[in-house]
């Protein structure tokens, strides 16, 4: 069913192109404005088709007494010609056309047909709403910049349905939404729900919106979340990343986690372990899939993290050397919540040195032009005397220098040329830590694990052997706070020695 905004405004968009009622040849695109359109199109939320939002539903409305065959309707990347419309009409879609079809759910509502893409459309891209019976191709262009914020799906985990428990979308800043909103009829026929702020009532301060069921449906029904959240005046205030929600709401069996001696157990089990540092804490949850939310009692901190595989995450920023109260909330697959309210005392300011980027396969001379970039992500200087950089072949002892907070350093061979051709060079003033050897005869071009070890033997940071870089590419940490050992913490990209990373690919 259409949203309350659509029912209230009943905005009908004039088609930007008419329908192709007769074939124009294999290469002919349906742009003949002299032919009357076979049906009109409404956008939900309301928008012009030449400035469509990235998340939307399209309502196809035929004239009174006419029908549209929903089985012949599709949203396609790029233009569509009469040949492709014929394929849709016959139900014989070529591989070339299949590759351009946008994943979508299509259903009928009375005489109308609804097309709901199940992925967010690409900003600035062009699409065609294509129908084989009647034949019509309507162009659609997506805005280059969203007029309202796009919230991404934080919960449920990928491949899991929502059932009668909340689905949660989050962003940098959630829009103001006064609860409760009017009931939303989940499409196609999945029962009623409401949008409310936060990931749960106990933690409404998080930059999230949650969809709560208020009338259940059978466990086999497919439910589509609304494309947008609306305020009381019927205006769209946020796009919601498309998702299909099933009725699978069975809880996962709780799994306990083992905490080290210096970690704080959180909840019964325990459900998580908290390693308290200075301006941050590291939460290590159990393997039970949960959406975690963390907020400080004074409201200065609000973070969320979906932990489908028990991966640790950072709670940041915290005030160093202070006692503070936290609210930690865990939301499980069945809608159950656990609220933990520990009081913690953070440590004084510390150094946090990470292996931030590695160039093991330069275009220039090897091994002379190889380097390992260190970055101090902490609040205090790092004294690098007797620290070691270890790889499979051996270890490299670092010189006795201080690395200030927020500073980069490049570990390089003594014969490294900072002004050499072919590879990017570091900015003036970047600290160069020259050593006799970097690895055993150089770093492995195909990648190898590295670790930074403190004088007392503690491993401070690790860099993985994967992803394997191409010649001239570095392997870089997505952000200095990306934790070791996590999928996609490191990615390939253009080298940025002594500067913030710009790596773009994990493949």
């Amino acid at each position: 069913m259409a949203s309350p905004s659509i029912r209230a405004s009943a905005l009908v968009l004039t088609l930007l192109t008419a329908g192709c009622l007769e074939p124009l040849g294999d290469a002919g695109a349906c742009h003949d404005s002299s032919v009357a359109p076979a049906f009109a199109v409404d956008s939900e939320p309301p928008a012009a088709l030449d400035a469509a939002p990235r998340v939307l539903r399209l309502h196809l409305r035929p004239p009174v007494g006419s029908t549209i065959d929903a089985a012949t309707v599709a949203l396609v990347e790029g233009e569509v010609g009469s040949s492709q419309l014929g394929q849709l009409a016959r139900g014989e879609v070529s591989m070339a056309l299949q590759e351009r079809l946008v994943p979508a759910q299509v259903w009928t509502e009375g005489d109308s047909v609804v097309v709901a893409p199940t992925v967010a459309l690409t900003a600035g891209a062009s699409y065609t709403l294509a129908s084989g019976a009647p034949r019509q191709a309507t162009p659609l262009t997506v805005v280059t910049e969203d007029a309202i914020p796009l919230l991404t799906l934080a919960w449920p985990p990928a491949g899991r349905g929502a059932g009668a428990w909340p689905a949660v979308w989050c962003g940098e800043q959630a829009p103001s939404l006064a609860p409760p909103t009017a009931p939303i009829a989940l499409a196609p026929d999945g029962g009623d729900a409401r949008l409310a702020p936060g990931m749960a009532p106990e933690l409404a301060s998080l930059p999230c919106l949650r969809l709560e069921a208020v009338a259940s449906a059978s466990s086999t029904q497919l439910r589509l979340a609304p494309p947008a959240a609306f305020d009381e005046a019927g205006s769209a205030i946020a796009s919601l990343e498309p998702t299909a929600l099933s009725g699978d709401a069975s809880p996962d069996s709780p799994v306990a986690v083992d905490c080290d001696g210096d970690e704080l157990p959180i909840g019964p089990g325990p459900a998580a372990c908290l390693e308290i540092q200075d301006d941050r804490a590291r939460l290590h949850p159990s393997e039970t899939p949960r959406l975690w939310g963390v907020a400080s009692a004074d409201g200065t901190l609000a973070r969320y993290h979906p932990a489908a595989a028990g991966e640790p995450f950072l709670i940041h920023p915290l005030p160093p050397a202070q006692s503070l109260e936290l609210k930690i909330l865990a939301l499980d697959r069945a809608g159950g919540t656990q609220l933990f309210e520990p009081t913690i005392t953070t440590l004084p300011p510390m150094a946090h040195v990470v292996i931030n980027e590695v160039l093991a396969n330069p275009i220039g001379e090897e091994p002379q032009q190889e380097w390992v970039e260190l970055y101090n992500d902490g609040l205090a200087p790092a004294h690098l005397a007797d620290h070691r950089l270890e790889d499979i072949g051996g270890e490299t002892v670092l010189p006795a220098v201080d690395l200030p907070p927020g500073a980069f350093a490049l570990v390089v061979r003594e014969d490294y040329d900072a002004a050499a051709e072919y590879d990017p060079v570091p900015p003036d003033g970047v600290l160069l830590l020259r050593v006799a050897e970097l690895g055993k005869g150089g770093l492995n071009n195909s990648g190898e694990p590295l670790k930074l070890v403190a004088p007392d033997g503690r491993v401070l940071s690790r860099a993985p052997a994967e992803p394997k870089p191409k010649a001239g590419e570095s392997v870089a940490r997505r952000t200095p706070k990306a934790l070791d050992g996590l999928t996609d913490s490191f990615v390939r990209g253009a080298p940025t020695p002594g500067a913030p990373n710009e790596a773009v690919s994990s493949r």
Side-chain angles (χ1 to χ4, degrees):
M1 296 178 64
S3 74
S5 176
I6 290 295
R7 292 195 295 267
S9 63
L11 174 65
V12 177
L13 299 173
T14 302
L15 288 179
L16 302 179
T17 181
C20 285
L21 305 182
E22 298 294 336
L24 297 179
D26 289 347
C30 293
H31 290 166
D32 183 359
S33 60
S34 64
V35 181
F39 52 80
V41 179
D42 299 342
S43 171
E44 178 193 352
L49 294 188
D50 60 352
R54 296 184 59 198
V55 183
L56 82 171
R57 289 180 188 166
L58 298 168
H59 296 253
L60 289 58
R61 297 192 312 104
V64 176
S66 300
T67 60
I68 303 171
D69 186 352
T72 71
V73 175
L75 186 62
V76 184
E77 296 178 6
E79 290 189 347
V80 170
S82 59
S83 174
Q84 287 79 34
L85 293 182
Q87 294 177 29
L88 292 172
R90 296 188 301 272
E92 300 173 355
V93 179
S94 66
M95 288 296 297
L97 182 56
Q98 286 183 30
E99 292 176 354
R100 294 198 289 138
L101 296 181
V102 176
Q105 293 290 330
V106 181
W107 67 91
T108 59
E109 289 183 358
D111 292 333
S112 298
V113 171
V114 183
V115 179
T118 54
V119 296
L121 304 182
T122 303
S126 296
Y127 299 84
T128 300
L129 179 61
S131 169
R135 294 196 185 188
Q136 180 167 302
T138 304
L140 180 148
T141 302
V142 181
V143 293
T144 56
E145 185 174 348
D146 293 318
I148 55 177
L150 173 60
L151 304 184
T152 57
L153 184 69
W155 199 252
R160 299 291 183 91
W165 51 275
V168 181
W169 293 261
C170 301
E172 293 294 327
Q173 183 175 1
S176 176
L177 185 68
T181 63
I184 299 167
L186 299 180
D189 55 355
D192 288 342
R194 282 195 180 97
L195 281 169
M199 62 173 279
E202 302 94 327
L203 214 58
S205 61
L206 263 65
C208 304
L209 295 178
R210 68 183 185 277
L211 186 69
E212 299 177 325
V214 295
S216 61
S218 80
S219 61
T220 60
Q221 283 182 305
L222 183 69
R223 310 170 182 196
L224 294 177
F230 297 86
D231 61 17
E232 293 179 351
S235 299
I237 57 176
S239 294
L240 304 178
E241 181 183 7
T243 184
L245 309 174
S246 75
D248 178 11
S250 57
D252 292 287
S253 299
V255 178
V257 61
D258 293 327
C259 297
D260 294 335
D262 57 351
E263 293 179 322
L264 175 67
I266 299 296
C273 307
L274 193 63
E275 179 189 353
I276 303 166
Q277 301 178 18
D278 54 344
D279 66 339
R280 65 197 71 185
R282 179 179 177 271
L283 191 144
H284 179 203
S286 75
E287 292 293 325
T288 306
R290 289 185 175 101
L291 175 64
W292 291 86
V294 181
S296 56
D298 61 5
T300 58
L301 173 74
R303 296 287 184 270
Y304 67 92
H305 187 87
E311 292 184 339
F313 63 94
L314 282 184
I315 301 171
H316 175 273
L318 300 174
Q322 289 190 27
S323 177
L324 67 154
E325 298 176 357
L326 294 179
K327 289 186 176 182
I328 302 177
L329 184 75
L331 172 67
D332 66 28
R333 291 188 57 242
T337 59
Q338 288 181 291
L339 179 64
F340 314 111
E341 300 182 271
T343 298
I344 66 171
T345 300
T346 54
L347 301 178
M350 303 164 54
H352 295 276
V353 182
V354 297
I355 300 174
N356 198 51
E357 188 174 3
V358 178
L359 181 65
N361 190 7
I363 295 176
E365 293 188 33
E366 295 187 58
Q368 290 91 329
Q369 296 307 114
E370 300 173 349
W371 46 258
V372 175
E373 180 188 81
L374 305 180
Y375 179 74
N376 184 358
D377 187 47
L379 301 175
H383 309 292
L384 297 180
D386 296 325
H387 283 62
R388 306 187 306 276
L389 192 63
E390 297 184 359
D391 66 356
I392 295 176
E395 64 179 33
T396 298
V397 179
L398 302 183
V401 298
D402 287 349
L403 184 61
F408 296 91
L410 291 185
V411 184
V412 298
R413 286 170 48 108
E414 291 175 345
D415 55 358
Y416 172 77
D417 184 358
E421 298 181 292
Y422 306 119
D423 296 292
V425 299
D428 294 338
V430 171
L431 183 62
L432 299 181
L433 308 182
R434 294 187 180 272
V435 296
E437 290 287 343
L438 190 56
K440 186 175 181 179
L443 301 174
N444 192 324
N445 282 359
S446 61
E448 62 181 294
L450 297 172
K451 57 185 177 181
L452 179 66
V453 183
D456 61 4
R458 290 179 298 117
V459 177
L460 302 180
S461 181
R462 298 177 185 269
E466 296 288 342
K468 180 179 178 181
K470 299 178 181 178
E473 286 186 331
S474 68
V475 175
R477 198 178 291 263
R478 285 189 182 273
T479 73
K481 291 181 177 62
L483 295 177
D484 295 344
L486 300 188
T487 303
D488 287 344
S489 278
F490 282 80
V491 292
R492 298 189 292 109
T496 56
N501 295 339
E502 298 177 359
V504 295
S505 174
S506 59
R507 298 181 181 179

